[in-house]
Amino acid sequence: MENSAIAAQIKALREVLHAHNHAYYVLNSPTISDFEFDTLLKQLEGLEQQYPTFADPNSPTKRVGGDLTKKFQTHKHRFPMLSLSNSYSEQDIIDWAERCQKILGESSEFVCELKYDGVAIGIQYLDGKLQQALTRGDGEQGEDVTANVRTIRTVPIVLDKSVPVDFEIRGEIFMPQQNFEALNAQREAQGEVLFANPRNTASGTLKLLDSKEVAKRGLDCYLYGVYGLKSEALGHYQAVMLAKEWGFKVPDPSKRMIEKTNSIAGIMDFIHYWDQQRSQLPFDIDGVVLKVNSYEQQDLLGLTAKSPRWAIAYKYKTQQVETLLESVSFQVGRTGAITPVANLKPVQLGGTTVKRASLHNADQIQKLDLCELDTVQVEKGGEIIPKIVGVNLALRQRQQRIVFIEHCPECDTPLARQEGEAQHYCPNDTSCKPQVTGKIMHFISRKALNIDGLGEETVELMYSRNLIKNPLDLYQLTFDQLLTLDRMAEKSANNLLQSIAASKEVPFERVLFGLGIRFVGETVAKKLVQAFGTITRLAEASLEELLTVEEIGEKIAQSILVYFSQEANLDLLRGLQQLGLQFECAQKTLDSTILAGKTCVISGTFETFSRDELKELIERNGGKLGSSVSAKTHFLIAGANMGPSKLQKATDLGVTLLTENEFIQLISQ
Ligand code: IVH
């Protein structure tokens, strides 16, 4: 085929697929079957593979993600991303609206919207194509998450010709409850730590470096503002409706998701309506947003330092319901901590059915003065598991207090409670089943040793068959042993063995995290590795030395000392070390030595890199970062707005000045 004919075919396929995408994801009314869609998509993929010259980041094939991003670059927002002032008080909203009316006149119009509980995004379109998507960041600069945003099906990547040449659209990226629950169910099955709530998950997902993974997670996006319009719209409502015509997913007026009103009563009605109805929505909202409609009036009202005067958010209080406490059970975690859990009569709360609530510890039970079969008030906060916040004493049926257990429900060992600590512990960490299997699950989890192909059930089975009792035993497992397990075929056994072998290359900080030392999470593990470098030095560190490390306080330091004082732990470490796991911080490999022996100073603000990134680049190329310009400085990397005195000093001392681009050129030589 002629090149031009191929180009035309590719273009036609892309257009058809974009249109079907829009019909399916935005309009919710597909025009072809999934099968037909996939066939067309495959055809396009085939052509793009065969003719790479026609590659386009905005092709519908890019919706599945692809490129691995090393790190997100930060860019300046064209329009600062302001925040909203907010209040839980209806009176504050009335006061705000009255103030607006006083300045603007009674007939001014308000727009009422939902306050989506997700992550703010600003998406730039140029010539009808998605150009760049930035997170809020600090409001001035945001992170470039374009590759990830491209995978969100409700965000169009190419628009019709009739849209403005250059505009920015802002909205909220969120994870619908259904996708959140499916994701957590999948994680639970794989023994991974559960996500706390849809908002954190959306935010974490948007920051994943692997856009393929993002594509699988099912993010969604509602748009709530258009920036950079000229005369296209006179006000906010009109702009949002225009955005709908351009192909964006915007709130539906017929479902009262967006509404115009010129009365305070209208605003209140909207607030009350959604307070009642919000649990029916398939996604989380945490309030409503009220905006003055006319752009001219918005300008008149202006901004405060951080937020516009023309908008305000009314936030809903956390939802509460009452239900019956059927019983209390006690769970043993991997660290031996005992958590009391309330088993409740199932009740609907915030769109999900609640059957259990955490009671945290003995003090909490005492504080609530909880009795058997009490009617309790349950609240959903930021956590996955709701909490009990009170008891309805009027409905108390029995005076029988809930008593905290004295022996471990799993291994019957008497429980202990350290002074000053809220939690009870089962001290039997070598043969209490949930502790042992929990520690192994933690050791193999993705952020630790990342051993794939072992679910919780299999680990429990292996434990009960005496195949594993600590992480060390994983490395002694044989192919034949694995084949004796249910659901373990040859292929999965081989994959598992490979994954176990590969874990020997996992960097020290993740091994340290995987050991499951109490209070040593991912961040603390990193800090410890940076400070001590090797397990030997860490094991020998004194309390004082540990306390000098950033983020490490008394509690963490004590826990580390206790860990290294126990013979069983030292045996485990010796064993793992002999097997070849990483217990030293790998030397940073250099990209080049072009800056070897050179000291660089950075000053001003930069377009492409943050200061931390520049520092890392300097070090990765053998150089050192100096704090101020002196006779020892070799290069001054000068960004915008650099102070004149620094410049003068550098010139006087004959220091070589480099712009950001010159620096990039130098290190990429
Ligand atoms: S307007 C200048 N409208 O709430 C006004 N924000 O600080 C800019 N949000 O994280 C925001 N729903 O992403 C606006 N309908 C809505 C919104 C909304 C959610 C978020 C926004 C930001 C926070 C406000």
Side-chain angles (χ1 to χ4, degrees):
M1 234 192 305
E2 285 266 325
N3 252 4
S4 59
I6 296 157
Q9 197 187 353
I10 289 181
K11 184 163 169 272
L13 271 171
R14 283 178 184 160
E15 278 169 9
V16 170
L17 284 162
H18 278 310
H20 286 311
N21 249 321
H22 182 245
Y24 186 94
Y25 289 102
V26 181
L27 306 178
N28 266 328
S29 57
T31 35
I32 53 170
S33 71
D34 288 359
F35 176 74
E36 286 167 305
F37 183 89
D38 288 341
T39 314
L40 289 173
L41 191 71
K42 285 216 179 77
Q43 208 178 333
L44 177 59
E45 261 168 2
L47 283 170
E48 286 179 350
Q49 257 165 27
Q50 207 179 340
Y51 303 99
T53 42
F54 298 119
D56 181 349
N58 287 327
S59 167
T61 53
K62 295 290 182 275
R63 290 284 199 197
V64 291
D67 297 342
L68 269 181
T69 313
K70 284 211 189 71
K71 216 168 180 190
F72 299 110
Q73 299 205 344
T74 48
H75 294 290
K76 209 165 154 27
H77 287 294
R78 279 174 72 186
F79 310 93
M81 252 188 170
L82 304 171
S83 57
L84 282 172
S85 56
N86 64 63
S87 170
Y88 288 92
S89 134
E90 291 190 7
Q91 190 55 49
D92 284 353
I93 303 299
I94 298 174
D95 292 349
W96 169 81
E98 281 177 350
R99 222 175 311 128
C100 292
Q101 284 181 334
K102 209 163 132 194
I103 302 171
L104 307 170
E106 290 279 319
S107 64
S108 49
E109 235 174 357
F110 299 104
V111 182
C112 312
E113 291 173 12
L114 302 180
K115 187 171 187 308
Y116 313 100
D117 200 8
V119 196
I121 193 80
I123 317 173
Q124 199 79 46
Y125 284 83
L126 203 61
D127 293 324
K129 290 189 185 123
L130 192 161
Q131 189 73 15
Q132 185 179 63
L134 298 180
T135 61
R136 189 175 124 80
D138 61 3
E140 289 292 324
Q141 297 195 26
E143 281 180 306
D144 184 337
V145 288
T146 314
N148 289 346
V149 170
R150 273 209 184 93
T151 69
I152 303 174
R153 311 279 171 155
T154 42
V155 175
I157 37 189
V158 288
L159 302 167
D160 209 276
K161 297 282 172 303
S162 55
V163 305
V165 180
D166 184 2
F167 69 95
E168 178 170 339
I169 192 149
R170 294 208 173 146
E172 195 86 349
I173 291 180
F174 60 91
M175 181 166 283
Q177 282 146 4
Q178 213 185 353
N179 297 358
F180 170 73
E181 276 166 26
L183 184 63
N184 257 352
Q186 194 189 350
R187 290 177 76 86
E188 193 162 17
Q190 289 168 352
E192 292 184 65
V193 184
L194 299 192
F195 287 122
N197 55 47
R199 180 171 44 90
N200 291 0
T201 317
S203 151
T205 302
L206 199 61
K207 298 276 184 72
L208 289 176
L209 296 177
D210 181 357
S211 58
K212 268 210 181 75
E213 183 59 30
V214 182
K216 288 187 207 149
R217 296 243 183 121
L219 292 175
D220 202 343
C221 180
Y222 266 114
L223 283 317
Y224 58 61
V226 193
Y227 289 71
L229 296 187
K230 298 204 172 63
S231 53
E232 288 87 354
L234 298 174
H236 171 64
Y237 190 89
Q238 204 186 348
V240 173
M241 293 306 134
L242 268 177
K244 180 181 175 179
E245 279 170 32
W246 299 339
F248 290 96
K249 175 161 168 164
V250 303
D252 185 349
S254 75
K255 294 191 179 135
R256 292 195 72 178
M257 292 169 74
I258 182 166
E259 196 160 273
K260 273 194 291 187
T261 175
N262 41 31
S263 76
I264 296 180
I267 293 180
M268 288 303 140
D269 187 44
F270 189 84
I271 290 181
H272 297 150
Y273 176 78
W274 282 109
D275 197 7
Q276 285 295 314
Q277 295 297 316
R278 68 188 160 122
S279 62
Q280 307 299 320
L281 283 167
F283 50 85
D284 287 353
I285 62 167
D286 58 342
V288 300
V289 183
L290 311 154
K291 300 172 180 171
V292 166
N293 188 24
S294 141
Y295 284 149
E296 205 182 324
Q297 294 188 335
Q298 289 186 0
D299 286 343
L300 210 73
L301 290 168
L303 317 167
T304 65
K306 274 208 256 131
S307 52
R309 286 203 189 83
W310 48 263
I312 193 165
Y314 173 78
K315 299 245 274 184
Y316 292 122
K317 293 193 192 72
T318 328
Q319 285 171 301
Q320 265 191 16
V321 283
E322 282 197 352
T323 189
L324 190 73
L325 170 71
E326 290 182 331
S327 63
V328 174
S329 37
F330 294 86
Q331 289 180 347
V332 188
R334 74 173 156 85
T335 56
I338 309 288
T339 310
V341 176
N343 300 306
L344 305 167
K345 184 170 174 213
V347 62
Q348 283 297 114
L349 177 62
T352 50
T353 313
V354 175
K355 297 187 206 112
R356 295 185 317 164
S358 168
L359 283 165
H360 302 291
N361 52 48
D363 293 346
Q364 184 70 13
I365 295 180
Q366 214 171 15
K367 211 162 90 192
L368 289 165
D369 189 27
L370 214 54
C371 285
E372 285 175 10
L373 297 181
D374 265 351
T375 296
V376 292
Q377 284 127 16
V378 184
E379 190 176 285
K380 224 172 172 186
E383 302 84 32
I384 336 168
I385 305 180
K387 53 181 180 220
I388 294 184
V389 289
V391 175
N392 185 340
L393 291 176
L395 297 180
R396 177 159 280 176
Q397 309 180 36
R398 290 188 196 173
Q399 297 301 328
Q400 202 72 46
R401 297 261 168 319
I402 300 285
V403 202
F404 208 89
I405 47 170
E406 288 177 1
H407 289 83
C408 175
E410 297 281 344
C411 69
D412 211 32
T413 306
L415 298 182
R417 188 178 182 179
Q418 270 159 14
E419 228 189 84
E421 288 226 353
Q423 216 84 24
H424 282 76
Y425 285 94
C426 166
N428 173 16
D429 59 352
T430 46
S431 57
C432 175
K433 184 176 164 191
Q435 293 194 56
V436 177
T437 55
K439 281 197 179 77
I440 294 171
M441 288 309 295
H442 174 73
F443 184 81
I444 65 179
S445 65
R446 217 168 49 160
K447 288 184 172 166
L449 279 289
N450 192 21
I451 295 176
D452 230 9
L454 258 188
E456 195 166 355
E457 274 173 40
T458 317
V459 168
E460 281 171 10
L461 186 65
M462 286 177 170
Y463 175 77
S464 57
R465 295 235 192 120
N466 256 333
L467 287 175
I468 41 175
K469 54 185 185 314
N470 66 32
L472 203 52
D473 295 336
L474 285 169
Y475 296 87
Q476 323 294 343
L477 288 171
T478 65
F479 184 69
D480 292 339
Q481 279 173 337
L482 291 178
L483 286 189
T484 65
L485 300 169
D486 291 351
R487 281 184 282 157
M488 188 69 80
E490 284 187 17
K491 189 160 175 236
S492 30
N494 267 325
N495 286 347
L496 176 57
L497 289 174
Q498 258 176 31
S499 185
I500 292 175
S503 74
K504 292 182 183 172
E505 302 309 320
V506 163
F508 178 31
E509 61 197 38
R510 281 169 48 194
V511 178
L512 183 60
F513 168 63
L515 294 176
I517 304 174
R518 276 186 81 201
F519 311 123
V520 178
E522 252 182 295
T523 320
V524 170
K526 265 191 199 138
K527 299 270 174 214
L528 289 170
V529 169
Q530 273 164 15
F532 297 100
T534 71
I535 194 86
T536 318
R537 289 199 47 216
L538 176 62
E540 286 166 356
S542 65
L543 179 66
E544 292 70 31
E545 282 174 305
L546 287 167
L547 289 175
T548 59
V549 182
E550 198 190 340
E551 283 194 37
I552 304 218
E554 188 83 22
K555 191 172 81 169
I556 304 179
Q558 286 296 355
S559 162
I560 296 168
L561 291 177
V562 169
Y563 184 88
F564 287 108
S565 70
Q566 289 173 353
E567 207 47 49
N569 294 334
L570 299 179
D571 280 348
L572 171 71
L573 291 176
R574 272 191 289 271
L576 292 173
Q577 239 169 336
Q578 268 166 18
L579 284 165
L581 272 78
Q582 304 299 313
F583 282 99
E584 286 188 12
C585 174
Q587 282 296 321
K588 270 193 186 161
T589 47
L590 293 183
D591 290 351
S592 84
T593 49
I594 201 148
L595 297 174
K598 304 265 192 286
T599 303
C600 307
V601 170
I602 44 189
S603 177
T605 52
F606 298 90
E607 293 259 318
T608 316
F609 297 111
S610 68
R611 296 176 75 87
D612 282 347
E613 284 165 348
L614 279 173
K615 174 172 185 261
E616 191 175 333
L617 281 174
I618 293 167
E619 288 170 357
R620 285 216 323 244
N621 289 283
K624 248 182 35 195
L625 180 72
S627 55
S628 61
V629 177
S630 72
K632 289 189 189 136
T633 311
H634 296 91
F635 296 113
L636 174 63
I637 307 168
N641 309 322
M642 188 179 68
S645 62
K646 222 175 222 170
L647 182 63
Q648 186 62 50
K649 192 165 175 196
T651 327
D652 292 348
L653 290 168
V655 173
T656 310
L657 277 177
L658 293 176
T659 63
E660 188 177 8
N661 275 336
E662 286 166 342
F663 172 69
I664 297 169
Q665 269 170 22
L666 176 74
I667 58 171
S668 47
Q669 264 171 28

